[in-house]
Amino acid sequence: MNIAARPRMDLCCLFYVVCTLIAFLLPIGFMTFNQGQDRELIGWFDAASGGGAWTVPAFVAFLLIAAYHWRRPRLFTGAAMLVLAALFGTLPALLAVERPFMGFIDFADVDSLTAPVGAGAFGVWLYLVGLAFLVWKALSLLSEAASQRKAPRALGILVPALFGAWLLYLWQVLVTGFGVPSVLLPSPALIAQVFAASTGTLWADFYQTFLKSVLSGYALGCGSGFLVALLVDRVPFLQRGLLPLGNFVSALPIVGVAPIMVMWFGFDWQSKAAVVVIMTFFPMLVNTIAGLHATQAMERDLMRSYAANYWQTLVRVRLPNALPFIFNALKINSTLALIGAIVAEFFGTPIVGMGFRISTEIGRMNVEMVWATIAVAAVSGSLFYGLLALAERATTFWHPSYRQ
């Protein structure tokens, strides 16, 4: 491991320990009695907050941090120890804000209490700041381990997955602890509940939007852009006349094109696929032409010395050299296609589809369902992009960007 990086990482651990010890001396909420006339602070170790039971995972994290600094293990082992310490460290703040007496607690009488509606947990927030430094150190060490030559490939996926989990954790703790109304920003737990209860509806929307509109429009748009690029390369004067026209079409606003496509092709998925074709055609056209022109003159002269014709040179030399450009267009279009299909559904669609669901549920103030639909769109778009990236790596492994 890089010796110069150790002081900064050790300082992060020290900051977590110091923030935690100070946070345990601060209140984590209020109790109010007699209709708000009497107020009592709640600490981590008070009986009302579990007698300090929530602090046990933090002290387990302390032990793991101490073992890491005492033993100075190898890179992979040290990363695993700190990631485990960070996982234990996430429990106290989460358990604190999720308990019903955290935050501003309002008792109607001595025997009743309500859920938190405010931000009185000062100790929780200081603890969360210190935890952020520990997570930073753990993920930095894990990222360094993943960059090693002999590192398992799964580590490259684990780093972004853990970072995404950390962002969801922050979302859950902050929204719950500050009592943010769900109509403004629901918590991930609430979104997950709605997602689990609406899988049938979400699958129907996914099938209508992604499997029908996006994939069909994506294939037609990328395929036609690729074929037209070959035609432009073969007939040079088209490059002066067709590219400006394609640029003009790509600059058309989707909110203006979508209603026209609905009028031409109807309210079903065909009109949304037409919008996707318009959005994906030009990026594929431009990138393919740029890739075909990326072949060096020495390579073309070599093929001429072999008496190769245009098509032989195209298939054996120019298209392989253009693959990085083509995959770049495919990855760009994977996101454009999903955005185009969802936005197009705002302007006329059957009673199914992601865009229809978002526009309908937001009118009902059912924000949890809106976020669940957004989650489906984000996950499907990310998986689509990831599959294209894997295909790119499998077919362009010879490219300098993949060399170790």
Side-chain angles (χ1 to χ4, degrees), residues 275-292:
V275 174
V276 174
V277 169
I278 294 175
M279 294 189 66
T280 57
F281 174 82
F282 188 71
M284 176 58 73
L285 174 65
V286 172
N287 279 274
T288 302
I289 292 176
L292 292 175

Side-chain angles (χ1 to χ4, degrees), residues 260-344:
I260 297 175
M261 295 297 105
V262 171
M263 294 177 62
W264 287 3
F265 298 100
F267 287 91
D268 208 351
W269 62 269
Q270 291 86 351
S271 57
K272 288 70 186 174
V275 174
V276 174
V277 169
I278 294 175
M279 294 189 66
T280 57
F281 174 82
F282 188 71
M284 176 58 73
L285 174 65
V286 172
N287 279 274
T288 302
I289 292 176
L292 292 175
H293 290 172
T295 304
Q296 298 180 1
M298 183 180 297
E299 296 170 333
R300 295 194 297 268
D301 292 340
L302 178 63
M303 294 303 293
R304 291 194 193 98
S305 68
Y306 292 155
N309 57 30
Y310 170 82
W311 296 107
Q312 290 174 328
T313 303
L314 177 69
V315 173
R316 296 176 182 271
V317 177
R318 301 183 68 196
L319 278 180
N321 286 337
L323 280 179
F325 295 84
I326 295 173
F327 273 104
N328 186 45
L330 290 173
K331 290 187 291 185
I332 293 174
N333 286 340
S334 67
T335 57
L336 289 178
L338 186 58
I339 294 172
I342 292 176
V343 174

Side-chain angles (χ1 to χ4, degrees), residues 80-123:
M81 292 175 65
L82 290 182
V83 168
L84 188 60
L87 292 176
F88 274 102
T90 59
L91 294 177
L94 183 62
L95 294 174
V97 298
E98 289 292 341
R99 293 304 293 261
F101 39 79
M102 289 298 95
F104 289 106
I105 302 174
D106 185 15
F107 282 83
D109 51 57
V110 176
D111 298 325
S112 65
L113 54 84
T114 59
V117 293
F122 306 113

Side-chain angles (χ1 to χ4, degrees), residues 152-240:
R153 185 171 296 181
L155 282 181
I157 302 175
L158 186 61
V159 174
L162 289 178
F163 183 72
W166 165 247
L167 294 180
L168 290 176
Y169 170 82
L170 284 180
W171 182 357
Q172 178 71 29
V173 171
L174 293 175
V175 167
T176 305
F178 283 104
V180 179
S182 60
V183 71
L184 295 180
L185 184 62
S187 66
L190 187 57
I191 296 173
Q193 292 176 7
V194 174
F195 184 95
S198 308
T199 53
T201 301
L202 293 173
W203 167 253
D205 294 338
F206 172 80
Y207 181 80
Q208 174 73 16
T209 301
F210 192 86
L211 298 183
K212 286 186 175 182
S213 303
V214 172
L215 292 184
S216 58
Y218 180 84
L220 290 174
C222 293
S224 58
F226 177 78
L227 294 177
V228 172
L230 296 180
L231 181 62
V232 169
D233 181 73
R234 184 59 173 165
V235 185
F237 81 88
L238 291 178
Q239 187 169 356
R240 295 181 178 272

